[in-house]
């Protein structure tokens, strides 16, 4: 029998992802309502995701990243920990 390797996000993970979504949204001067219109994601869902109250599906995160014009992976990493490709 193989061990269960299913990843279940912790509340800390949800909170961190939500904070990053809010950070990128506010940096662009977008309201929750504006981002909802751009992505087709319900504004209540966005607010709940940003607050860490709701798990977001990969599809929802992809739509949000596309709407914000960023790479999906940025929701999972702190900006100051990302190393540019040309860094040696």
């Amino acid at each position: 029998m193989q061990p269960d390797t299913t990843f279940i996000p912790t509340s800390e993970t949800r909170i961190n992802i939500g904070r990053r979504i809010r950070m990128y949204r506010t940096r662009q001067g977008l309201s929750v309502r504006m981002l909802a219109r751009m992505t087709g994601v319900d504004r209540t869902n966005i607010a709940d995701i940003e607050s860490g109250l709701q798990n977001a599906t990969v599809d929802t995160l992809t739509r949000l990243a596309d709407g914000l014009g960023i790479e999906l992976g940025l929701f999972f990493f702190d900006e100051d920990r990302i190393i540019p490709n040309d860094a040696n």
Side-chain angles (χ1 to χ4, degrees):
M1 177 187 245
Q2 293 193 354
D4 182 8
T5 58
T6 304
F7 174 74
I8 300 173
T10 64
S11 59
E12 182 180 346
T13 302
R14 279 195 317 271
I15 290 167
N16 288 335
I17 290 171
R19 285 179 181 161
R20 290 183 189 106
I21 292 169
R22 180 179 290 129
M23 176 189 69
Y24 287 111
R25 177 181 59 75
T26 58
R27 279 186 182 177
Q28 294 183 30
L30 297 172
S31 67
V32 172
R33 186 178 303 263
M34 293 165 71
L35 183 58
R37 285 186 192 139
M38 294 168 59
T39 61
V41 177
D42 184 86
R43 66 182 172 82
T44 304
N45 289 349
I46 294 172
D48 287 348
I49 291 165
E50 286 186 353
S51 299
L53 299 174
Q54 179 179 332
N55 278 328
T57 65
V58 173
D59 290 339
T60 298
L61 290 175
T62 299
R63 289 164 61 186
L64 293 172
D66 289 347
L68 293 167
I70 63 172
E71 295 291 324
L72 176 64
L74 290 177
F75 291 151
F76 299 92
F77 299 102
D78 291 327
E79 278 188 325
D80 58 342
R81 294 178 56 192
I82 297 173
I83 301 169
N85 289 337
D86 59 348
N88 290 326

